[in-house]
Amino acid sequence: MNKYTQQIAIGAYHTNQHAQASVTSLFNVMLEAAWAHAQVMEWGYEDLKSNNMFWVLSRVYFEIEKYPEWQDQITLNTWSSGTDGMYAYREFILENEQQEVLLRASTAWLILNLENRRIFRLRDLRNSFPRLEVPNVCRNPKRVKPHARSGELSFQPVLFSDLDVNKHFNSVKYLERVLDGFGIDFLNTFELAQLEVNYLKEGLAGDKLAVDTVPVSDSSYSSTIVRESDGLELCSLLTHWRQRQQ
């Protein structure tokens, strides 16, 4: 299977107050392209639903070279990068009109049974998920170990707008909560350069979640999202920042 390509115009609804596409809007665009390509490959939402299964995003790694700006025309390419028997890997490259790479990403996906949440093994389906060799792509995402709790947590409920079509806390909403926790002054001073995410448990309606963030270095932070009812970590993230260019 070849690359799946989308041409995208950056609208005002994609951007932040700096007229740059936000990392969460780029994440959403990438996920939509992944769903669309899976449909072409006959492994889409409806294909799996008919067999009582569904896709879940398990791991993500981004390298962001440059953020596109309002009214920019960008090209998003995504493709299957094989399976190790459990994870199905998918890669992304985002380019501007000058064919400069803006963003590289690699993702790892699981197929789960809708009823018992067991992982559907992909060992015998390697031909369905061929690895397309493409240069200049980043590494595969790795395991991100949650850090020790830093102290008292502030729990906020899962809202209606947080839920996706699978009735789960949406994968981009995890990132949104973590980024908002850094505060406006920090986000006006720094921009995200690298991101790594592990999704560990499902967040559901009725849950209350808290973000716990601790520094790893001067420019890196470890974050976890914790559920109040059982104290479990639902998501673990590493963020690496650079000075925002004015």
Side-chain angles (χ1 to χ4, degrees):
M1 177 60 64
N2 294 325
K3 295 180 184 178
Y4 182 86
T5 301
Q6 282 188 342
Q7 306 296 325
I8 301 159
I10 299 298
Y13 56 89
H14 289 120
T15 61
N16 56 28
Q17 64 178 332
H18 298 277
Q20 292 177 324
S22 68
V23 66
T24 52
S25 69
L26 296 176
F27 200 168
N28 274 316
V29 166
M30 290 164 53
L31 292 182
E32 281 300 308
W35 289 116
H37 193 203
Q39 195 71 26
V40 172
M41 296 172 68
E42 299 183 346
W43 284 91
Y45 174 79
E46 294 296 339
D47 299 291
L48 293 191
K49 186 178 178 182
S50 65
N51 289 289
N52 210 31
M53 297 185 295
F54 66 103
W55 283 109
V56 293
L57 181 60
S58 180
R59 296 178 179 180
V60 181
Y61 177 66
F62 283 7
E63 293 178 355
I64 307 166
E65 300 291 338
K66 182 180 179 182
Y67 286 86
E69 298 183 352
W70 182 32
Q71 300 183 356
D72 281 355
Q73 301 289 325
I74 61 174
T75 301
L76 174 63
N77 286 296
T78 183
W79 58 92
S80 167
S81 55
T83 175
D84 60 8
M86 182 171 70
Y87 292 112
Y89 293 98
R90 171 169 292 277
E91 296 176 342
F92 302 81
I93 284 185
L94 189 68
E95 298 176 319
N96 62 16
E97 290 185 282
Q98 291 74 42
Q99 297 185 313
E100 296 173 318
V101 174
L102 305 176
L103 181 151
R104 299 177 174 87
S106 180
T107 54
W109 300 73
L110 296 170
I111 295 177
L112 300 187
N113 182 281
L114 192 59
E115 293 180 356
N116 59 28
R117 297 307 199 254
R118 289 180 180 171
I119 296 172
F120 177 73
R121 300 291 176 174
L122 301 172
R123 291 191 186 95
D124 299 327
L125 297 169
R126 295 184 187 275
N127 290 337
S128 298
F129 300 96
R131 178 171 180 80
L132 183 63
E133 297 290 345
V134 178
N136 301 321
V137 183
C138 60
R139 63 167 172 81
N140 284 341
K142 299 178 180 178
R143 180 173 179 262
V144 177
K145 186 178 180 180
H147 62 260
R149 303 283 166 81
S150 64
E152 186 175 345
L153 302 178
S154 176
F155 291 91
Q156 303 297 324
V158 171
L159 304 176
F160 179 85
S161 60
D162 293 327
L163 299 174
D164 62 18
V165 69
N166 293 319
K167 299 181 175 61
H168 299 157
F169 192 70
N170 181 274
S171 54
V172 181
K173 292 292 184 176
Y174 288 98
L175 176 58
E176 193 172 88
R177 287 205 182 187
V178 168
L179 295 182
D180 283 343
F182 282 92
I184 291 176
D185 289 344
F186 181 95
L187 297 173
N188 277 335
T189 305
F190 300 98
E191 64 182 19
L192 198 61
Q194 292 180 24
L195 167 69
E196 192 143 17
V197 187
N198 283 189
Y199 297 100
L200 308 173
K201 301 286 183 182
E202 299 168 318
L204 303 170
D207 287 343
K208 289 186 176 180
L209 309 179
V211 177
D212 188 25
T213 296
V214 299
V216 176
S217 69
D218 290 342
S219 59
S220 301
Y221 294 81
S222 172
S223 299
T224 56
I225 293 185
V226 182
R227 182 162 55 203
E228 184 179 41
S229 61
D230 53 15
L232 291 178
E233 289 99 359
L234 303 191
C235 185
S236 184
L237 304 91
L238 289 175
T239 53
H240 306 275
W241 301 84
R242 61 178 173 243
Q243 195 82 21
R244 184 180 292 279
Q245 299 298 314
Q246 299 299 324

